[in-house]
């Protein structure tokens, strides 16, 4: 009671099975080659990242003079902060020259400056005692340095003076007028 038409429609012909099998194998092979290429690419990127990480660690080791620790970037920031704090307490020649020149009245000339780490001595001449007093008042308003008179000869013409210079503590709030 079987029909001949039913037995003939049960599958694909043998040639079609082979054709689809070859297509499936080709697609599978292409997919495997693609995945293998991606794996090789990932491995190369991973090896490159490891080399970069080792190079950065070596830079940290040289910059921090030893083992960089768990947070080398944080340690670098800490060391930078210490250096900035130290340099804030040092006498900067360019800033000092700028302060001395922008505050100088017409009759004042600076003859010499000697410097140490956080202090210095400035010697100069003023045409009149009034010029020196104006200069002294102008320097008192300087934000970065404190000036004190070391020597002054008000009776000489021109007036000879020496000022001691110190770096003002920049971490402290600025002094108000009248304090």
């Amino acid at each position: 009671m079987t029909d001949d038409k039913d037995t003939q429609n049960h599958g694909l012909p043998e040639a079609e099975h082979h054709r689809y099998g070859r297509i499936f194998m080709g697609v599978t092979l292409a997919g495997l080659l693609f995945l293998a290429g991606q794996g090789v690419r990932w491995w190369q990127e991973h090896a490159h990242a490891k080399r970069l990480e080792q190079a950065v660690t070596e830079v940290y080791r040289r910059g921090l003079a030893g083992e960089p620790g768990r947070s080398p970037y944080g340690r670098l920031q800490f060391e930078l902060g210490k250096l900035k704090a130290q340099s804030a307490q040092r006498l900067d020649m360019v800033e000092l020259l700028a302060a001395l020149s922008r505050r100088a009245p017409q009759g004042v000339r600076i003859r010499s400056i000697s410097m140490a780490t956080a202090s210095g001595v400035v010697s100069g001449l003023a045409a009149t005692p009034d010029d020196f007093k104006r200069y002294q008042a102008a320097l008192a308003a300087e934000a970065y340095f404190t000036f004190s008179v070391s020597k002054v000869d008000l009776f000489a013409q021109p007036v000879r003076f020496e000022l001691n210079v110190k770096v003002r503590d920049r971490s402290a709030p600025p002094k108000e007028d009248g304090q």
Side-chain angles (χ1 to χ4, degrees):
M1 302 209 164
T2 60
D3 195 6
D4 286 338
K5 284 186 174 181
D6 289 338
T7 59
Q8 291 177 356
N9 289 337
H10 280 296
L12 295 172
E14 189 73 25
E16 288 293 314
H17 278 287
H18 289 296
R19 191 177 122 214
Y20 285 131
R22 285 190 303 270
I23 290 171
F24 177 74
M25 290 303 288
V27 168
T28 302
L29 181 63
L32 288 174
L33 287 174
F34 174 76
L35 289 176
Q38 292 302 312
V40 167
R41 185 174 177 189
W42 175 84
W43 177 76
Q44 288 173 340
E45 290 296 321
H46 180 70
H48 182 67
K50 278 286 199 195
R51 286 192 305 271
L52 286 175
E53 186 177 316
Q54 288 171 346
V56 167
T57 301
E58 183 59 32
V59 167
Y60 280 134
R61 188 171 286 123
R62 282 192 322 236
L64 295 171
E67 190 58 37
R70 289 178 37 154
S71 178
Y73 183 70
R75 192 164 156 215
L76 276 177
Q77 287 181 322
F78 174 72
E79 294 295 332
L80 178 63
K82 283 184 0 185
L83 289 174
K84 282 183 177 178
Q86 287 174 354
S87 70
Q89 299 304 319
R90 289 185 178 213
L91 192 59
D92 183 7
M93 181 62 136
V94 174
E95 285 183 13
L96 178 60
L97 288 174
L100 290 171
S101 63
R102 75 173 157 255
R103 306 281 184 189
Q106 186 67 32
V108 174
R109 282 192 340 224
I110 301 299
R111 292 179 47 194
S112 69
I113 299 174
S114 63
M115 292 178 41
T117 303
S119 64
V121 176
V122 176
S123 64
L125 302 172
T128 65
D130 288 338
D131 287 341
F132 175 71
K133 288 177 183 173
R134 280 198 319 268
Y135 190 48
Q136 190 177 5
L139 290 175
E142 180 58 43
Y144 295 121
F145 305 100
T146 58
F147 296 91
S148 60
V149 177
S150 168
K151 294 179 188 175
V152 65
D153 184 3
L154 294 174
F155 301 111
Q157 283 297 10
V159 176
R160 298 179 198 294
F161 63 88
E162 277 189 13
L163 301 173
N164 291 326
V165 181
K166 290 187 179 176
V167 176
R168 192 178 299 265
D169 185 7
R170 295 180 190 174
S171 61
K175 291 185 178 181
E176 298 286 329
D177 289 341
Q179 282 188 353

